Amino acid sequence: MIDNITIERLRGIRKCFLDDFGRFNIFLGHNNCGKTTVLEAIYLFLGNDNIIGNVNINNLRQLIVDSDEKYKLNFYNLETEYPITLSGMYNKAIRSAEFKYWEQFAEAIDINDIKDRQTALEKEYGLQLRYVTSTGTYMSKLILSSNKDKQARAEAPKELGNHINSVYLSSIIGHGDFAVNFYSEILKKKKEAKLISILCEIEPSIKDIVIANGMIMVDIGLSQRVPIQVLGDGIRKIFEVVVAMFQCENGIMMIDEMENGFHYQSMPILWRAIIQTAKELNVQVFATTHNIDTLQAANTVLQEDAYKEMQPLWRAYTLRKFPEGELKAYKHTYEQFNYLLNEDREIR
């Protein structure tokens, strides 16, 4: 599990330190305070074998990186002369990631045409990643081109250290397509029984789940299986979250604005699914919200007999942004979290 992380010069965050993470960690705060950026930092911190992570975090915001100017948006105040740095403890071992922006002019030229060439060179730009773990130091490079073909390539060493299972669920992009792919892997590994048993606690009518014609099909006791959409958005979205968690067994799950698409009355069901799955699969969860119903639902579930043992593993962090880009995190243990909600204190 991640124990702590220091974020420096990523997007609108000049510096932020978060410590004493638990099994379940939820980030709170005003709009534009940096909640999503903190999740993105965790995603990049884990990605020692994912040099394209900085492109992915823009894609998750539906921002296509097709120019060097857009690529610079990842850097604090667009100051690419200073690197993005992420450092912290993972499973009690120190690790760090440093992203540096670079650009140059280059072009592939036929050796026989050199004497006749007078055209300007194409601009190349990208990131260099220096990743340090307990197993060594690894250097990777992402190279993009400004030519009309928008070419890109990645250069990385053959060995990149230990891979960490992780999944990032964006608040914007739908998850239906990956759910089919992820569930296919679950079926191949014969792990569907455990997933279905978790879902049956939410929807007892579920007897089996398969993939047919590229769709998730569910047996609920009718004469034929039906698409999961028939069961409603709530169970479909819970299925997508749980399926994603199966992909990060013994790893990390990140969920941005977890309440999106859920009616407030369904939030306890979602929390039970997340807590139960994280317990079964040894997954550490990081999520963001600014919805009070989501917090109250979590508090209600954590007081149920089946989940009380999870209370010591709960952390809530209220994020507050200060001038000059400093982001401070105010940690609440479960006891503090419960007290603040019961006293109707503003925690978000």
Side-chain angles (χ1 to χ4, degrees), residues 70-84:
K70 286 185 179 178
Y71 214 87
K72 294 175 182 178
L73 296 174
N74 290 359
F75 289 78
Y76 178 70
N77 280 353
L78 308 180
E79 297 170 344
T80 55
E81 62 268 32
Y82 303 105
I84 297 167

Side-chain angles (χ1 to χ4, degrees), residues 137-308:
T137 299
Y138 309 92
M139 302 291 293
S140 302
K141 195 172 187 179
L142 179 64
I143 305 168
L144 298 96
S145 174
S146 62
N147 64 28
K148 62 181 180 180
D149 297 326
K150 305 298 181 187
Q151 296 175 351
R153 70 181 189 274
E155 297 177 353
K158 184 177 180 180
E159 299 296 333
L160 281 167
N162 296 328
H163 172 74
I164 301 172
N165 293 332
S166 64
V167 174
Y168 184 114
L169 297 186
S170 165
S171 64
I172 298 175
I173 298 176
H175 310 130
D177 291 339
F178 85 69
V180 173
N181 296 332
F182 282 0
Y183 192 59
S184 295
E185 291 300 314
I186 291 171
L187 290 172
K188 288 179 185 178
K189 296 175 181 177
K190 296 184 178 182
K191 292 184 176 182
E192 69 274 15
K194 182 180 289 187
L195 183 148
I196 292 171
S197 70
I198 292 171
L199 292 176
C200 281
E201 296 183 18
I202 302 162
E203 179 50 70
S205 65
I206 294 176
K207 303 181 183 307
D208 190 21
I209 304 175
V210 300
I211 295 176
N213 298 322
M215 298 177 62
I216 305 292
M217 304 293 290
V218 185
D219 181 356
I220 54 173
L222 302 178
S223 59
Q224 65 181 39
R225 292 184 174 89
V226 298
I228 195 169
Q229 289 87 344
V230 172
L231 302 184
D233 284 347
I235 190 66
R236 177 175 60 83
K237 289 181 181 294
I238 290 171
F239 173 80
E240 291 171 359
V241 170
V242 173
V243 163
M245 292 183 73
F246 267 72
Q247 299 305 305
C248 43
E249 185 172 2
N250 299 314
I252 311 294
M253 178 76 170
M254 294 150 280
I255 313 173
D256 194 18
E257 295 186 16
M258 59 179 299
E259 70 276 3
N260 279 6
F262 283 93
H263 189 273
Y264 75 94
Q265 291 182 333
S266 299
M267 288 308 303
I269 298 174
L270 175 62
W271 274 118
R272 292 187 192 102
I274 289 174
I275 294 172
Q276 183 63 30
T277 309
K279 178 183 176 182
E280 292 278 344
L281 301 178
N282 188 34
V283 175
Q284 186 179 24
V285 178
F286 295 89
T288 72
T289 187
H290 49 69
N291 183 281
I292 192 64
D293 292 323
T294 301
L295 302 179
Q296 291 173 340
N299 194 35
T300 297
V301 170
L302 287 167
Q303 293 184 56
E304 295 174 359
D305 289 341
Y307 303 105
K308 282 184 177 179

